[in-house]
Amino acid sequence: MQAIQNLIDNVEKVIVGKRPVIELAVVSLLCRGHVLLEDVPGTGKTMLARALARSVAVDMKRLQCTPDLLPSDITGVPIYNQKSGDFEFRPGPVFTHILLADEINRATPRAQSALLECMEEFRVSVDGITYDLPKTFMVLATQNPIDMAGTHTLPEAQLDRFLVRLSVGYPTLREELRILSDQAQVHPIETLQPVTSETEVLAAREAVKAVHLSPEVAEYAVRIAAATRSHADLRLGASPRGTLALARGAQGLAFLRGQSYVTPDVVKAMAGPVLEHRLILRPQAAAMGQNVHGILQSILEQLPPPV
């Protein structure tokens, strides 16, 4: 769909030279998934969320996560109306299309848990009343892998709710020179115009679901997830939610590539972003210098793809 390619091109005007990262963020949007952006400060994590929201012409709200953040600061709270004598629900920042949860690991586990229902069921329950979130609701959460003082590690249940974990990374010399040139007068985000709409995004979602996933390729995805659960160096493997994320993400990436069916190569390309943050090393393996990236790659090399 040309509208989605226009979306990627538009975001790339702001996030220079990071098209693979942008594509995976768009795949998450098309698969109704969420993105965890883990990188050092100043690499464009926040700008990615802003550029995505502007390009689709939907609302975006920013939640700055701090140690004193309360669950009600995220979901909203009933407020007493003196005129009517009733309590009225005042929605929190989670009631938006794209929620940027900045430095999510600086919020306490109590505050982080307020996002669990939102991310999985796309709704909010407050005082026994359930409120639905927009159809294009998506969480883009950021966290820094350094400066861990005052941070709270995301629990496995929350990590499992992110479709992909991405790292923007540093630009090349040429790309950084272009960034300097582009921002000499004004930041590109200030002049970025919408190129698609929420309606087109929802239509693309339906097209992604129509991408054919053969039984052989589906079994390949399941075998990859199963291999992580039985690996000797992993304390925790991929959950069934992770298997579903791998299959759906592969359909989304195949759609972006203009394919009408999912190939094993697409599944392998999505395995790292989708599964690595769901895996936990055994302490003995970590002490020996192992990492989840290397273990997953070895699994992919050992498992023969369907022909």
Side-chain angles (χ1 to χ4, degrees), residues 160 224-229 234 236-243 274-275 278-280:
D160 204 31
I224 292 173
T228 65
R229 299 168 195 156
L234 292 176
L236 181 68
S239 67
R241 185 191 285 126
T243 309
V274 170
L275 297 182
R278 306 172 194 268
L279 310 179
I280 298 181

Side-chain angles (χ1 to χ4, degrees), residues 9-28:
D9 293 340
N10 206 48
V11 175
E12 198 173 14
K13 294 177 182 178
V14 177
I15 310 298
V16 177
K18 302 298 179 183
R19 193 175 184 88
V21 175
I22 298 169
E23 287 179 344
L24 289 176
V26 171
V27 165
S28 297

Side-chain angles (χ1 to χ4, degrees), residues 220-221 223-225 227-228 231 246 264-265 267-273 275-276 292-305:
Y220 180 56
R223 286 194 289 120
I224 292 173
T228 65
H231 199 283
L246 180 57
D265 286 344
V267 175
K268 291 177 70 173
M270 288 299 300
L275 297 182
E276 284 183 10
V292 293
H293 175 76
I295 290 174
L296 184 58
Q297 291 306 308
S298 68
I299 290 174
L300 294 175
E301 290 171 3
Q302 294 169 11
L303 281 178

Side-chain angles (χ1 to χ4, degrees), residues 6 16 48 53 74 78 98 100 106 127-128 140 268 273 288 294 306:
N6 293 340
V16 177
L48 176 58
I74 300 173
I98 295 180
L100 173 63
R106 294 203 178 277
D127 284 353
L140 278 90
K268 291 177 70 173
M288 295 296 293

